Amino acid sequence: RTKERIFLHVFSGRRREGDLQFFMEKLYDQICTDSTTLCVVSVDLIIDQQWGNVRQESTQSFWLEGVRAGWVCGALCGPPCETWSQARYADAAADHRPQLRPGPRPLRDVFELWGFSSLSLREALQVATGNELFLFSMELLFSLACVQGFGVLEHPQEPEDETRPSIWRLAMTRLLLRFPGVELIDLAQGLLGAWSPKPTRLLALNLPTLRAQLREHQISKELPKRSAIGK
């Protein structure tokens, strides 16, 4: 019944000048034209061992209940992508790039999107953690969709190779795309200042002007030529 609302930046990393919370607070008067008090919360284990640790059931329940109660109005989620990364397939091209040392091997493919059935203990833990964090992001977006909230899920673009893994090939992701107000936005972060092309896909919920705003703020017309693979 109050005009106080919370926006979550999940997996935000360390607080720093130029992060999402920094800019949302700087644009506060433009965002909250109806005198709503907006609190931007950066959620990450490195910031708070309890409320930033979304692997804990109590923490998950706290934020999800906040959505259902109406005091969490939106979220940006960028769940870790290292177990999904196409860079894990770089060794396939090592014959043509001998300077590359062997990198970490693939842990998923399109037939086993949740992780290979045969993994080392370290790899299995890494996949399990990645799955858990991704599933919380999805539950958060599903919950926001059910209460007409808004949000964004960010992950690398779907690869051209149809055998490779991607969250965009999961049945639950495709189900979320059937909700009203949900759209996919493909972009290259290299056009927005990143030092490599970094093809990225956003699942946007109830943000109809986001695509146009991203295009408006491009700072380059050409993609950078550098590659992040091998670093």
Side-chain angles (χ1 to χ4, degrees), residues 10-209:
V10 189
F11 314 115
S12 62
R14 295 181 185 275
R15 283 304 326 280
R16 59 205 179 276
E17 184 176 359
D19 65 6
L20 184 76
Q21 182 173 340
F22 172 87
F23 280 110
M24 288 187 74
E25 290 174 346
K26 217 171 180 56
L27 297 171
Y28 182 86
D29 292 335
Q30 298 176 39
I31 296 172
C32 302
T33 56
D34 62 349
S35 74
T36 297
T37 300
L38 178 66
C39 180
V40 183
V41 179
S42 294
V43 179
D44 198 286
L45 182 63
I46 206 167
I47 295 174
D48 191 285
Q49 292 289 312
Q50 180 178 357
W51 304 117
N53 184 3
V54 296
R55 294 190 68 198
Q56 290 188 11
E57 185 177 350
S58 59
T59 303
Q60 290 189 15
S61 298
F62 178 80
W63 293 121
L64 293 171
E65 177 56 33
V67 174
R68 290 188 285 268
W71 46 267
V72 173
C73 62
L76 168 65
C77 304
C81 63
E82 73 269 8
T83 60
W84 300 87
S85 176
Q86 302 309 299
R88 290 180 173 272
Y89 292 85
D91 286 349
D95 292 341
H96 307 289
R97 301 174 64 186
Q99 73 275 19
L100 286 180
R101 291 178 294 176
R105 65 176 182 166
L107 303 179
R108 315 171 187 263
D109 64 15
V110 73
F111 305 105
E112 294 183 278
L113 286 169
W114 295 107
F116 292 144
S117 54
S118 179
L119 294 169
S120 70
L121 290 177
R122 181 179 179 181
E123 291 170 336
L125 178 60
Q126 190 177 20
V127 166
T129 301
N131 289 345
E132 207 170 342
L133 299 178
F134 167 71
L135 287 169
F136 171 73
S137 300
M138 290 297 289
E139 189 168 4
L140 186 61
L141 266 290
F142 269 103
S143 298
L144 286 166
C146 290
V147 297
Q148 287 78 54
F150 64 96
V152 174
L153 177 71
E154 177 265 336
H155 225 248
Q157 268 184 36
E158 186 174 357
E160 293 183 4
D161 189 330
E162 295 182 356
T163 66
R164 294 187 180 181
S166 172
I167 67 165
W168 310 113
R169 291 173 174 164
L170 289 165
M172 67 165 55
T173 311
R174 293 177 176 175
L175 175 62
L176 183 54
L177 290 173
R178 297 171 63 180
F179 275 66
V182 176
E183 66 172 327
L184 292 181
I185 301 173
D186 286 340
L187 60 96
Q189 292 189 38
L191 300 177
L192 295 163
W195 65 278
S196 63
K198 205 168 184 182
T200 302
R201 176 169 288 179
L202 306 179
L203 186 152
L205 168 65
N206 295 328
L207 292 168
T209 64

